Amino acid sequence: MTTTPGAPSEAAARARRPSGLVARSRLFELLEDGAAGPVTLISAPPGSGKTTLVRSWLAARPSETASAWVDVPRDETDAAHFWGQVLDSIRDTAAVAADSVLATLVPTPHSEPGELVGHLLVGLRHVDHPLVLILDDVQHLRSADLVSDLETLVTEAPPGLHVVLLSRRDPKLGLHRLRLAGRLTEIRAADLEFTAEEAGELLAGAGVSVGADEVTRLHERTEGWATGLRLAAMSLTRHQSPEQFVAEFAGSERTIADYLLGEVLARQPAEVRDLLLRTCILDGVNGELADLLTGRRDGDRLLHELEEANALVVATDVARTWFRYHHLLLDLLRLELRRELPGEIGELHGRAARWYAAHGRAVDAIRHARLAEDWELTCELLGQHWVELLLDGEETTLSVLLDGIPRGVVDADAEVAAMLAADRLRHEQWAEADALLARARQTISDVPATRRGRADIAFATVQLFRARHLGGVEDVVDEANSAVERHLGTVEQGGSELEGLALFNLGVAKAWTLRFAEAEDDLERALALGRTIGRPYIEIGCLSALGNVATLSERLERGEQLLRDAIVVAERVGWTSHPLVGGACMGLAATLVDRGMLAEGELWAERAEPILARAGEPSASVGLRHVQGILAMARNRYEDALAAFRDGERLVEVLRAPHALAAITRPWQLRARLQLGETDAVRADLVDAPMTAQWCNVAARLSLIAGDPRGALAAVAPVLSGDAPVLHGNFRIEAYVLHALAKRAEGDADAALVSTERALALSEPNGNVGMILTIPGASELFRDHPNHRTAHGAHLQLLRDLLAGVEPEPTATSVTLEEPLKERELAVLRFLSTNLTAAEIGNELFLSVHTVKTHMRKLYAKLGVHTRAEAVQQGRALGLLAPARRTH
């Protein structure tokens, strides 16, 4: 054997190699040569020795070599599950830095095709040591997107990563480019065939003593087929006449397989045969599970003896504590089990389910409970773990587990009905979800007391989730709040995840009903819980919701920072296409547009649109259309605005109950129609309009366009007096601007100046200028407002620029402050972007020049800068100032 540089000696390798494994030097050389390139493909039929070859090769390599092994489950379609396995295996075997993408990435089914593997490649490029990634049974991949992602991984593998693909047939990967470039190593069935010499070594390693002629004859008749040789070796160790066995051994490959499997199984000692039959219900087995299913205490020893024989059992971990059976043998064993012990199969699955549950293997536990048809245990396990699966991004797996439950069980169990309703909502099967929730309401009182609290919270959570996305929040929020608060802290198994999700949904629902203080309290509790238990879903969702609450309650800077924080966390875990991120991007777009950062707001709206289009959340899409419409209004693109508002109105019709968004959609549509000349139609729509600030302001806009300033003044009077309900401070700002325009039209310049100044005073603290940008005539109003008559000079100049079409440039810089700026320091910072001197800034803020300079020194220190220009630049990067402006 040619020794690879740095490889151990043959003696050292042999000492580490498990007994029974054959050191196949010629194939090891192929694998070593292939390890210098990105990909090795081992493609051969079952039983050819693919897995054993790679295991023995790894055993012979230097001990410091990092290798990650993933067995692809049968019929794998769940990308989150598959890439989660890959990540877990890499994390378990490779030195991954705590701040690496590999350490933080959390797979989710909401990721775009190629997105997860893209993040994985980024992380792998920063692994500073060679890594071998083995993917066994690649033929089990059943998703075109998964196959495409795998192709990306192998064709773009960074230096230091070597991917070994084991498959029963050639995977449908575009490997031709690697093949043409000489970067693909291929090992086929013919390569895997044992030579006569290797066959002799295998038999000797298994303790079989036969002559050279028998070895040659057995090799010829098996044609070097690995499984045939190994199974023959097992049988020969117990056969009274090895020579006769070899002489009678004949037939085609399939015949050989059937003969050997039957021969081996029939000739096993009773205890081994019993173990094989009773444990074949499992995809993987260890000694403890074997003892549980057989009632014996020697399962670990028997499994190791079988693995040593290297024919029936393969160790799947480095410590050789977990084993799996060859697929051909497994099929035979399960057939024999159904024939010999049909009445015990359910009990075996039940025992396995309880063992997996006790050892934290929730999915395996639920699968075996279902196979046992133990529906009480199945429902209990689902109740404990369904939120955990959701937060792990394994919605597809959860759907499969739920779909297997009989309808009668669902109808009788409110908790399961609620879980299934959540799944149907995720798949946009609205009618079925509503029917399931109605059934859950009827049977919730029948849930056993031991899990009633958990069931109540689950039912409340799904109701809130449905109302958030389809309307009717007001109808369920109080009932849900009572249920959640009543049972908080009472749920033991899976309680933290469930309570975190419930508080998150409750906080969002309260925000929609304008109960901002209560909403923030619930969201802050959920956020703290989500961070404690390490659940990015809850953390991202709560940060996003808190950002939207801050924006709605007119704290735009805090809202913007929270929304950016949500997106940063999402990017850290690789969730760039998750529906939660779509909501955060939409909220950030709304906040930026309100602050006059139209260009950057547009970028975030564009990022949100494809995410929300796939998310199946109509209410979020209504919100996005609203943002897009206001953005178009601010740029005087009224046809685009009307199209966006009408699309939002169409989406409102999809909602299955009243929703807060519906109340704001129609008035904005009328604003756009007014600018397109549809005054008569708008006037007709205003006949039965409610007396709210929105509708009053629309009426004032109509009067101004019609040349009726007195009518405009009458329309906004209830808003300014406080008689008309004001949903948001923007509508009061709008009313003052419309009042100023009406007074200006009447020739009352002083009154117009007073109202303009009040609009400036209301909009300056949070910089919410987006509404003003949508009002025709506002540009002339603020252009002519004299500087000497305002206390808001810097803010006035910002408005003038925006109304003149000079927009802030987008910024992608993310910077954080260790110590926040105080209110006065922030006020001084906002004036630094103007040409005003320190004395003039003092006059604007009614401060002495000495005090202004003191504030400047302190904010320079907090920002880590030394000059006024640097302070402005850093302020823009932090979002404390509008970014540099551009002409649109």
Side-chain angles (χ1 to χ4, degrees):
M1 173 180 177
T2 302
T3 304
T4 302
S9 67
E10 175 64 23
R14 190 165 51 249
R16 283 207 317 273
R17 189 167 61 243
S19 62
L21 289 182
V22 177
R24 308 186 69 187
S25 304
R26 58 189 177 84
L27 295 179
F28 285 9
E29 290 178 17
L30 278 175
L31 287 167
E32 285 297 338
D33 291 342
V39 185
T40 293
L41 171 65
I42 306 178
S43 179
S48 300
K50 301 182 292 293
T51 301
T52 303
L53 169 66
V54 177
R55 286 184 62 245
S56 55
W57 171 62
L58 291 175
R61 300 197 89 207
S63 58
E64 63 270 14
T65 299
S67 59
W69 191 296
V70 176
D71 290 308
V72 180
R74 290 188 177 186
D75 299 322
E76 177 64 276
T77 59
D78 192 335
H81 179 259
F82 173 71
W83 291 114
Q85 283 188 304
V86 172
L87 277 166
D88 287 344
S89 184
I90 291 172
R91 289 165 181 160
D92 288 343
T93 57
V96 175
D99 59 350
S100 165
V101 173
L102 297 177
T104 60
L105 184 61
V106 180
T108 165
H110 299 289
S111 299
E112 282 283 296
E115 185 176 351
L116 284 173
V117 75
H119 290 302
L120 180 61
L121 284 167
V122 170
L124 289 169
R125 290 188 186 103
H126 293 88
V127 174
D128 58 3
H129 55 79
L131 171 66
V132 180
L133 172 62
I134 303 99
L135 302 179
D136 198 356
D137 283 333
V138 173
Q139 77 278 353
H140 289 324
L141 294 177
R142 293 288 185 267
S143 161
D145 287 339
L146 263 178
V147 173
S148 177
D149 285 350
L150 179 55
E151 180 177 331
T152 300
L153 177 69
V154 299
T155 56
E156 299 180 16
L161 172 67
H162 180 61
V163 182
V164 180
L165 304 174
L166 282 67
S167 182
R168 295 185 179 185
R169 56 184 176 274
D170 279 15
K172 295 180 179 179
L173 301 173
L175 299 175
H176 55 281
R177 290 186 296 275
L178 292 172
R179 184 179 291 117
L180 291 172
R183 303 176 67 214
L184 173 67
T185 300
E186 298 178 79
I187 299 177
R188 301 288 178 175
D191 302 310
L192 290 168
E193 291 175 2
F194 274 63
T195 65
E197 181 181 354
E198 289 170 340
E201 185 180 345
L202 183 148
L203 293 170
V208 174
S209 179
V210 293
D213 290 344
E214 282 74 21
V215 172
T216 301
R217 187 175 297 117
L218 192 59
H219 174 258
E220 288 174 351
R221 293 183 178 176
T222 61
E223 297 183 13
W225 182 46
T227 293
L229 286 166
R230 293 191 179 101
L231 292 174
M234 280 199 67
S235 187
L236 281 166
T237 59
R238 295 183 175 88
H239 205 285
Q240 292 180 350
S241 176
E243 290 79 6
Q244 181 183 354
F245 174 86
V246 174
E248 294 174 352
F249 185 73
S252 67
E253 182 175 291
R254 183 64 187 174
T255 303
I256 293 171
D258 290 342
Y259 175 84
L260 285 176
L261 290 172
E263 181 75 8
V264 170
L265 186 59
R267 290 182 176 273
Q268 292 299 328
E271 67 272 16
V272 174
R273 191 175 189 280
D274 186 62
L275 178 144
L276 291 170
L277 282 178
R278 293 178 182 277
T279 58
C280 72
I281 64 166
L282 309 169
D283 292 328
V285 60
N286 65 7
E288 187 177 343
L289 259 174
D291 290 346
L292 176 68
L293 299 185
T294 62
R296 299 174 60 86
R297 296 184 179 181
D298 55 358
D300 190 63
R301 177 181 64 81
L302 294 176
L303 287 168
H304 273 87
E305 288 179 358
L306 287 168
E307 196 263 347
E308 291 286 344
N310 205 28
L312 300 171
V313 180
V314 176
T316 59
D317 62 339
V318 176
R320 298 171 67 205
T321 56
W322 280 93
F323 305 86
R324 68 172 177 84
Y325 300 155
H326 187 282
H327 295 314
L328 293 178
L329 178 63
L330 197 62
D331 293 340
L332 174 70
L333 289 171
R334 288 174 177 174
L335 180 65
E336 290 294 300
L337 178 66
R338 289 193 295 271
R339 186 177 64 81
E340 295 186 21
L341 303 171
E344 297 186 33
I345 295 175
E347 173 60 24
L348 292 172
H349 282 296
R351 290 185 204 171
R354 287 183 282 275
W355 187 92
Y356 281 123
H359 289 79
R361 300 271 293 271
V363 172
D364 288 322
I366 297 168
R367 284 173 176 161
H368 283 282
R370 283 177 49 201
L371 290 168
E373 297 187 358
D374 185 339
W375 303 118
E376 182 179 354
L377 178 59
T378 300
C379 294
E380 172 61 26
L381 291 171
L382 280 167
Q384 292 177 9
H385 298 289
W386 71 282
V387 175
E388 174 187 323
L389 291 171
L390 280 178
L391 300 184
D392 280 340
E394 295 195 37
E395 290 103 325
T396 303
T397 298
L398 179 60
S399 292
V400 172
L401 295 175
L402 287 167
D403 284 341
I405 301 176
R407 189 69 198 193
V409 175
V410 175
D411 287 343
D413 194 302
E415 187 178 21
V416 177
M419 288 183 254
L420 196 56
D423 180 74
R424 298 302 182 256
L425 287 170
R426 189 175 70 84
H427 289 95
E428 302 181 46
Q429 297 172 3
W430 315 126
E432 187 175 352
D434 284 350
L436 285 163
L437 283 173
R439 185 61 185 160
R441 181 177 292 280
Q442 293 172 355
T443 58
I444 191 72
S445 60
D446 298 331
V447 175
T450 53
R451 57 187 180 96
R452 177 62 188 273
R454 190 181 69 206
D456 278 351
I457 297 179
F459 180 56
T461 301
V462 180
Q463 280 190 299
L464 290 167
F465 180 77
R466 183 242 184 243
R468 278 178 47 207
H469 297 92
L470 296 176
V473 174
E474 295 85 352
D475 298 333
V476 301
V477 64
D478 289 329
E479 176 189 349
N481 183 70
S482 176
V484 172
E485 294 293 348
R486 184 169 63 251
H487 296 296
L488 276 180
T490 65
V491 180
E492 295 181 4
Q493 185 71 31
S496 296
E497 283 88 353
L498 178 59
E499 290 173 5
L501 186 64
L503 287 169
F504 163 53
N505 280 280
L506 189 59
V508 174
K510 287 180 178 177
W512 280 121
T513 55
L514 308 184
R515 293 151 64 172
F516 296 138
E518 293 181 47
E520 286 188 305
D521 179 61
D522 290 336
L523 291 168
E524 289 286 1
R525 284 192 289 169
L527 177 61
L529 189 56
R531 285 173 168 167
T532 298
I533 61 179
R535 290 298 185 181
Y537 182 102
I538 296 175
E539 184 178 5
I540 296 165
C542 289
L543 286 170
S544 179
L546 284 165
N548 288 323
V549 168
T551 297
L552 289 170
S553 55
E554 301 179 62
R555 292 167 290 156
L556 299 187
E557 289 179 359
R558 173 169 169 75
E560 181 183 342
Q561 187 57 58
L562 286 165
L563 289 160
R564 290 188 187 276
D565 288 346
I567 295 167
V568 167
V569 174
E571 290 176 342
R572 174 168 55 82
V573 299
W575 288 13
T576 51
S577 299
H578 197 283
L580 288 174
V581 181
C585 293
M586 184 265 289
L588 182 56
T591 305
L592 293 169
V593 169
D594 201 7
R595 298 186 70 189
M597 304 176 192
L598 305 185
E600 187 170 4
E602 185 174 33
L603 291 176
W604 286 108
E606 289 173 354
R607 179 171 170 182
E609 187 162 18
I611 301 174
L612 295 180
R614 297 187 304 271
E617 299 184 7
S619 63
S621 294
V622 173
L624 179 62
R625 296 298 179 271
H626 180 65
V627 175
Q628 292 169 328
I630 294 177
L631 180 63
M633 288 282 290
R635 289 176 167 168
N636 302 327
R637 299 201 311 256
Y638 300 117
E639 289 185 357
D640 292 343
L642 182 58
F645 292 136
R646 280 181 170 163
D647 197 27
E649 188 174 50
R650 178 186 60 79
L651 289 168
V652 166
E653 294 173 0
V654 176
L655 304 179
R656 301 176 67 85
H659 197 285
L661 287 169
I664 62 175
T665 300
R666 190 68 177 171
W668 272 105
Q669 187 181 140
L670 297 186
R671 288 180 176 94
R673 291 171 64 191
L674 279 174
Q675 297 310 122
L676 293 171
E678 300 180 26
T679 53
D680 291 340
V682 173
R683 184 176 287 107
D685 283 347
L686 286 170
V687 171
D688 297 319
M691 183 63 70
T692 64
Q694 275 231 77
W695 289 94
C696 290
N697 290 346
V698 172
R701 289 191 185 217
L702 172 62
S703 295
L704 287 172
I705 288 175
D708 179 16
R710 182 164 300 192
L713 292 172
V716 298
V719 183
L720 301 183
S721 67
D723 293 331
V726 179
L727 182 65
H728 192 278
N730 279 344
F731 301 125
R732 188 172 286 109
I733 294 171
E734 181 185 25
Y736 273 115
V737 174
L738 294 172
H739 186 273
L741 289 170
K743 285 296 185 181
R744 180 186 174 104
E746 284 189 333
D748 190 344
D750 287 340
L753 288 174
V754 170
S755 291
T756 302
E757 188 69 5
R758 287 177 177 170
L760 286 169
L762 287 172
S763 68
E764 184 182 34
N766 284 293
N768 47 330
V769 297
M771 174 65 81
I772 297 174
L773 304 181
T774 72
I775 303 173
S779 58
E780 292 82 2
L781 187 69
F782 288 97
R783 181 195 63 200
D784 299 337
H785 192 70
N787 288 337
H788 67 277
R789 294 286 299 273
T790 181
H792 313 285
H795 187 58
L796 175 61
Q797 186 57 50
L798 170 64
L799 266 171
R800 286 171 174 168
D801 289 342
L802 290 170
L803 290 165
V806 181
E807 296 182 11
E809 288 281 358
T811 177
T813 308
S814 59
V815 189
T816 56
L817 279 178
E818 292 184 4
E819 182 181 359
L821 300 184
K822 294 181 179 178
E823 183 178 350
R824 281 297 189 184
E825 293 167 351
L826 184 58
V828 170
L829 175 62
R830 287 172 176 159
F831 277 98
L832 296 184
S833 60
T834 69
N835 293 324
L836 297 179
T837 65
E840 290 170 334
I841 293 173
N843 290 335
E844 292 285 348
L845 297 175
F846 304 100
L847 299 173
S848 70
V849 65
H850 173 75
T851 301
V852 170
K853 290 182 177 180
T854 299
H855 287 317
M856 289 173 66
R857 284 195 299 272
K858 289 181 178 179
L859 71 90
Y860 283 6
K862 290 180 179 181
L863 294 173
V865 299
H866 303 285
T867 67
R868 181 168 177 165
E870 289 175 347
V872 171
Q873 182 180 7
Q874 189 76 318
R876 285 172 176 156
L878 287 161
L880 301 174
L881 294 175
R885 294 187 293 274
R886 69 174 183 182
T887 301
H888 185 267

